[in-house]
Amino acid sequence: MTSRTVKFALLLLALVCCFLVPTSHSQRTSNVEQRVNSLLAQMTLAEKLGQLQQLDGEANGNYRPEHLDLIRKGLLGSTINVRGAQRTNQLQRVAMNESRLKIPALFGFDAIHGYRTIFPIPLGEASSFDPSLGERSAAVAAQETNNVGVRWTFAPMVDIARDPRWGRISEGSGEDPFLGAAFARARVRGFQGNDYGAPDKILACAKHWVAYGAAEGGRDYNTTDLSEQTLREIYFPPFKAAVDAGVGTLMSSFNAINGVPASANAFTLTKVLRDEWKFDGFVVSDYTSVKELINHGIAANEEDAAAAALNAGVDMEMVSRSYNTFGPKLIQQKRLSTATLDEAVRRVLRIKFRLGLFDRPYTDEAREANALLRPESLRLAREIAGRSMVLLKNDRETLPLGKNLGSIAVIGPLADDRRAPLGWWSGDGKEENTVTPLAGIKTKVSAQTKVGYAKGCEVKGDSTAGFEEAVNLAKSSDVAVVFVGELAEMVGEAASHASLDLPGRQLELVQAIHATGKPTIVVLVNGRPLSIGWIVDNTPAILESWMGGTESGDAIADILFGDVNPGAKLPVTFPRTVGQVPIYYNHMNTGRPPEAENRYTSKYYDVPWTPLFPFGYGLSYTTFKISNLQLSAPRISVNGKLTVSAEVENTGRRAGDEVVQLYIRDTVASMTRPVKELKGFQRVTLQPGEKRRVEFVLGPEHLGFWNREMRYVVEPGEFRIMVGANSVDVIETKFEVTPN
Ligand code: NOJ
């Protein structure tokens, strides 16, 4: 080979390499930043404000006529609720072909626990104590949503909720920040993957930032007043986990926090989110929460509201139009700087670039039909529902039922209801696709088994006219399964309750069926802890099915007849009565912890201080023993790591799942510390007689807290370690943290 040929070959190789070597992350980032800045440099003030505007489509998914014109003029950056590949493409074509700068629109929608294939409500899914399920269900939701032209979901909802009166407790992962963080992380990964611009992935939105679940009295949208320690230790962790998992957006909440509305709160929106956590995506307001700053009384008019929200760090305004209407005046009056405005626009554009919207603005209309309710999605929905249902009671092995019983009475207002299992946020789920419990039971039993059905009563209302028929059916059957609980409309947004009792005449229905003397199994279909003391005291078996989604009925039947052995646990405390609320496992000890014999201790005169069911509680058709708790060392330094392990053994006759839970307590510290804090959990499947050692690693991130100076510290001293099958039944030991 001549030297010229060698040189030529090398050159060729170098060129090929250039094309083959993938662009690095930092290259891609700087490309995006360059594209954002060059676009920003071309934008008029009106176009910039347009990118910060999100407007609502019609409930059925249509866009509104004005959207066409606004997008054409570059005055609308995003919509909510517009969906369907054809409709989103129509709007997008206007953006890409007719607007001056050809900035694609971003279509958002609430696919909270599924788009068409509906999964259990998030509170139910969290009961699985298996975050990988949260990832898998979110991945299906992303795939379906992406294929109907929507590239952004307002999920995951990661609000901690300690108050079951609050209807939105159903949308989150319950009361615990550690469990909540695990599900937040998993769901973000499920929606976004490593790259939300990838096919079948979408942009996620962690909401509602922040402390929305702390609403006083459990009344939705209500004020919250919390210490910064409580914010940082209880309410922030799931959001931090979402940010660390790469979530692209957050939604600012409706509530005020310590006197400053969350949608105008520079502390949460800028100091914590941007300065401390380095979040570089964008924040969208909640629905009209910018304009509502007037009602909060911190803005005299929309002009003030826009200034307060934008300056605090809310980048995009959902539905109200204060930014667009008053932005120019605010700039002119110097109440809003161009730098602040540009930064908000930059954040929105950055996400649009990362999402690949500029390069791939349209959705393939031909794929839409095949994208929904795929058999594998339905199978997953059934699996997750089965793994999310909590067995609350099972005396004398009432469950599982035999498939060849002579007759079963299926009773109750929710036995054949197609709407309730879909929950309040049912995406684009269709009732006709729901498998009801009655249908699930009918498919499961043998051909000889007679399945009778009587509604008995409605969920709401006062009529007992149907009781007689239901009682007669129970009398003539071998066993009765009664489905009671809540309607979809009774949970979710704006569905706060002052009572946690079963609504309407449902308890009396259960009592009437129980009075027949037939074994009465109660299945709850609901979205919040309910005070069901009578049922717990009197009926032999109770299954908490939550609102289990499209495949709920099949999943319930899988459990009732033993094809699935329940292994889920409560992610939230069940109170005996609403008067105990707020009641949560990770409370402080007080100076006078409850003692039965001592009047002057922290308890109630009229009801026990203990819950009906504690956090982490749930039974199985088999039994487990947790024993032999071991630590890798008797002491560690403040920066050290400790391995905690315990043995778990299936001591029963069936294969089953146990969730081994690890709790800690910092015995003496410079601030009061909770009596227990969950710091690890593992759901394990064991065959009868099988024994396994489960390990957890604890480090400074588990052992510290925010001290009086608002510094995160691990303080030397004694820690208690507790391991168990729920937050009450634990075995324990101690270890020491030393200064170094
Ligand atoms: C209000 C709700 O609070 C929020 O969760 C939801 O994403 C928006 N509406 C949009 O539907």
Side-chain angles (χ1 to χ4, degrees), residues 622-642:
T622 184
T623 49
F624 295 94
K625 185 169 171 234
I626 296 176
S627 62
N628 210 350
L629 180 55
Q630 285 177 8
L631 305 181
S632 56
R635 62 188 61 81
I636 58 166
S637 79
V638 285
N639 299 316
K641 291 214 180 292
L642 181 79

Side-chain angles (χ1 to χ4, degrees), residues 54 56 80-81 109-110 112 154-155 157 168 171 207-208 212 220-221 251 254 285-287 318 425 493:
Q54 179 181 67
D56 197 357
I80 164 171
N81 287 333
F109 182 66
D110 291 283
I112 309 294
F154 305 112
M157 192 280 213
R168 306 199 78 171
E171 294 173 46
K207 70 184 189 186
H208 308 80
Y212 183 38
D220 209 0
Y221 317 121
M251 185 185 292
F254 288 122
S285 79
D286 203 342
Y287 206 99
M318 186 189 285
W425 289 110
E493 189 175 347

